[in-house]
Amino acid sequence: MVSRTVKVSGGVFVVVVIIVVVGVLTWALIDHDHGIKEKIYSVEKLVPSSSLHDTVPVFTKIHGVGNMFWWFHHTRALGFTHDHPVILWLDGVTGIPPSLLANFGMFGMYDINLERRPDSWINRYNLLFIDAPLGRGFSHPLSIDKIPNNIDEAAEHLVITLESFYEVMIHFKNTPIYVFGEGHGAQLALALVQKLHQNGDLGMVKGVILGNGLVAPAQTLSKLGFYLEELAYIDGNGRQAIENLTNMISTAEITGRPDLAFELFQTLGHAVNEEAGAVAVNLGHIVQKLTKQSPDGAQDYFGQWEYLQSIDKKLNTNTMNIIIRPMLGVSTTIFYDVHRQHVVNAFRNTLMVPAVDRVEYILNNTDIPVTIYNGNLDAVSNTPGQLEWVNNLNWLGQSAFLESPRLPIFVNGLLEGHFRNSTGLQFYWVNVAGQSAPLDNPVAMDTILRGIIKD
């Protein structure tokens, strides 16, 4: 894919050799002192057991940095697999890594009991899960200081990982690919597509899709107090308490203190339940019934683990370490998501920085459509707050987007949501869904997928 310049110290003469092998560019660095050729990255193709056939788990080894884990699932649709689109799924810093949540929890080929999922997205699409940033899931750094601390560095790792994907899966070079980002993964998806465009290497990217995205977290939270009061979780006094906190978060972000904004952001669960009087609310799935003793949402990053475990207690890191890891052939020295808090700490100075400019960049500089969907039961990425930034985007098609009608989504006679569609930008309101709409309302997401991919 993208050519790169590699510098070697000590005055060693460097020759970059470009070899065309079945249409794929391969980069090599020739060390004349030792006669060794070494790529910028290498790949280790893991061999799953027979019960996980039709999947391809791989480590992309980025030299001097660490190992990015990606897992590819071939579609079960009729015909050649590379004739069907690839869905790339990213979850980001605070979410649950795709190899667990999206894969086993939502729409992958198998559920956590390793039973075929009858309504899996592989019935129509190829699936590519990447544990990112480095340090999440099975992706592991050589050392803690190698974990990226900003979205651009994480996106560069994704670019290299995609290069390795196309090297291993050569036949998918000309297959349409759609980049999905859930939660903070929305920032990863935007940064990846932007970087590919800047590198002149968009290839077959046909869409970027943001699900309950932390695209402008401080601005989105400006409607949290309103959202909770309208749903009767808090009263007027509680709303004032929440708005005092969200105003502090916004001020910190605007005045160049994203680190402080993130520290305050982490207190949301405590503030809503203890100070505003909601008592036992899961901010990621507002209608989940909790006890007073339920884990603090701040420690669980707004209840995603709490909610997932309420659905199936096997969906956890222990299962990934004890059952999935040996099946994939992953070393016993690698523990699933063990660096989660290190990754959070690395991003504490950048996570709250808005990525609205990246949305505008894609809309203004590429032909790639941006699709946004939002579950109405997510208080953190609450829909009224998301519309605060969506309705104020600066791009040529904004007027047409705002003037387009909001239409209902009916499935089998039931109202599953609404959508507003224009050339370049689409927004979907998803009913009865929290942080992870594919988990909560798969029927609505199936319709949305068809609208995005038009298959």
Side-chain angles (χ1 to χ4, degrees):
M1 292 179 70
V2 183
S3 61
R4 301 174 179 276
T5 301
V6 182
K7 297 181 180 179
V8 178
S9 61
V12 179
F13 179 70
V14 179
V15 178
V16 177
V17 181
I18 303 179
I19 304 173
V20 179
V21 180
V22 289
V24 179
L25 296 179
T26 305
W27 296 265
L29 177 65
I30 300 179
D31 183 336
H32 288 282
D33 289 339
H34 301 93
I36 298 173
K37 293 183 179 181
E38 182 181 49
K39 294 178 182 177
I40 296 168
Y41 64 86
S42 62
V43 294
E44 178 186 352
K45 189 173 178 181
L46 304 171
V47 181
S49 72
S50 58
S51 62
L52 293 177
H53 61 281
D54 296 330
T55 75
V56 183
V58 173
F59 277 126
T60 294
K61 298 177 178 295
I62 305 175
H63 294 299
V65 176
N67 300 280
M68 294 290 292
F69 177 77
W70 55 270
W71 199 348
F72 182 73
H73 297 248
H74 290 276
T75 183
R76 296 172 67 189
L78 296 176
F80 295 108
T81 58
H82 56 270
D83 289 336
H84 300 273
V86 173
I87 289 177
L88 164 59
W89 190 274
L90 303 165
D91 256 298
V93 171
T94 58
I96 297 173
S99 57
L100 173 55
L101 175 57
N103 186 12
F104 293 112
M106 295 200 296
F107 53 80
M109 182 180 294
Y110 302 95
D111 63 22
I112 198 62
N113 297 309
L114 301 182
E115 298 291 336
R116 288 273 193 173
R117 179 176 279 113
D119 58 349
S120 170
W121 289 8
I122 62 160
N123 293 334
R124 294 200 306 275
Y125 314 110
N126 297 284
L127 302 180
L128 174 60
F129 303 116
I130 302 180
D131 286 347
L134 183 68
R136 296 307 313 272
F138 280 130
S139 295
H140 56 282
L142 295 181
S143 58
I144 300 304
D145 63 343
K146 301 298 183 183
I147 294 174
N149 59 19
N150 62 80
I151 207 72
D152 286 306
E153 187 179 357
E156 181 63 25
H157 293 165
L158 284 172
V159 169
I160 296 171
T161 303
L162 267 184
E163 291 173 1
S164 77
F165 167 73
Y166 285 115
E167 179 180 289
V168 174
M169 311 301 294
I170 296 173
H171 297 303
F172 290 89
K173 186 78 171 172
N174 296 315
T175 300
I177 184 169
Y178 293 81
V179 183
F180 282 67
E182 181 176 276
H184 182 259
Q187 291 195 27
L188 274 177
L190 291 166
L192 170 61
V193 172
Q194 182 179 11
K195 190 170 289 290
L196 289 172
H197 180 261
Q198 291 170 341
N199 290 347
D201 194 34
L202 273 175
M204 293 299 291
V205 175
K206 298 300 181 181
V208 57
I209 299 91
L210 316 175
N212 286 67
L214 292 178
V215 176
Q219 189 174 4
T220 302
L221 287 172
S222 67
K223 293 294 184 180
L224 177 60
F226 161 78
Y227 174 86
L228 292 172
E229 185 181 21
E230 289 299 299
L231 291 176
Y233 283 101
I234 58 176
D235 61 11
N237 293 330
R239 175 173 175 173
Q240 187 61 56
I242 294 302
E243 289 182 347
N244 288 341
L245 174 60
T246 56
N247 286 339
M248 289 171 62
I249 292 173
S250 179
T251 299
E253 186 266 309
I254 292 171
T255 57
R257 288 294 310 278
D259 56 330
L260 176 59
F262 182 63
E263 289 179 15
L264 296 168
F265 180 66
Q266 293 184 97
T267 69
L268 275 178
H270 176 82
V272 168
N273 287 320
E274 301 296 334
E275 298 175 17
V279 181
V281 164
N282 185 334
L283 292 179
H285 196 275
I286 201 73
V287 296
Q288 183 187 4
K289 294 181 179 180
L290 302 178
T291 66
K292 185 69 171 65
Q293 290 72 38
S294 294
D296 188 342
Q299 299 301 316
D300 189 20
Y301 293 101
F302 318 116
Q304 195 171 27
W305 277 105
E306 170 80 11
Y307 179 59
L308 191 64
Q309 295 253 277
S310 73
I311 295 171
D312 192 334
K313 292 187 180 301
K314 291 183 179 180
L315 291 163
N316 57 52
T317 55
N318 287 334
T319 302
M320 295 300 285
N321 282 323
I322 296 171
I323 298 176
I324 305 303
R325 181 177 62 182
M327 293 183 71
L328 298 183
V330 175
S331 169
T332 55
T333 63
I334 298 172
F335 294 93
Y336 191 80
D337 217 28
V338 69
H339 293 301
R340 181 190 191 206
Q341 193 57 48
H342 294 132
V343 176
V344 171
N345 292 339
F347 274 81
R348 67 186 308 106
N349 293 327
T350 58
L351 188 141
M352 296 296 288
V353 175
V356 176
D357 60 328
R358 299 184 191 273
V359 178
E360 294 172 341
Y361 178 95
I362 293 170
L363 290 172
N364 287 315
N365 296 283
T366 78
D367 295 326
I368 296 174
V370 177
T371 300
I372 302 164
Y373 66 84
N374 218 75
N376 64 350
L377 302 181
D378 183 356
V380 179
S381 294
N382 62 85
T383 304
Q386 295 283 44
L387 290 170
E388 283 291 290
W389 65 266
V390 171
N391 289 341
N392 289 284
L393 286 168
N394 182 18
W395 67 293
L396 294 177
Q398 184 70 356
S399 295
F401 169 73
L402 294 175
E403 291 169 3
S404 62
R406 188 174 94 118
L407 301 174
I409 301 173
F410 282 104
V411 182
N412 297 324
L414 298 177
L415 182 66
E416 301 292 352
H418 295 81
F419 71 97
R420 175 167 289 142
N421 189 18
S422 71
T423 301
L425 180 64
Q426 297 81 42
F427 190 95
Y428 289 87
W429 291 256
V430 186
N431 290 350
V432 199
Q435 285 182 52
S436 300
L439 177 64
D440 298 324
N441 195 337
V443 172
M445 280 305 302
D446 181 72
T447 302
I448 291 170
L449 271 178
R450 292 178 184 272
I452 295 169
I453 299 178
K454 298 178 176 59
D455 59 337

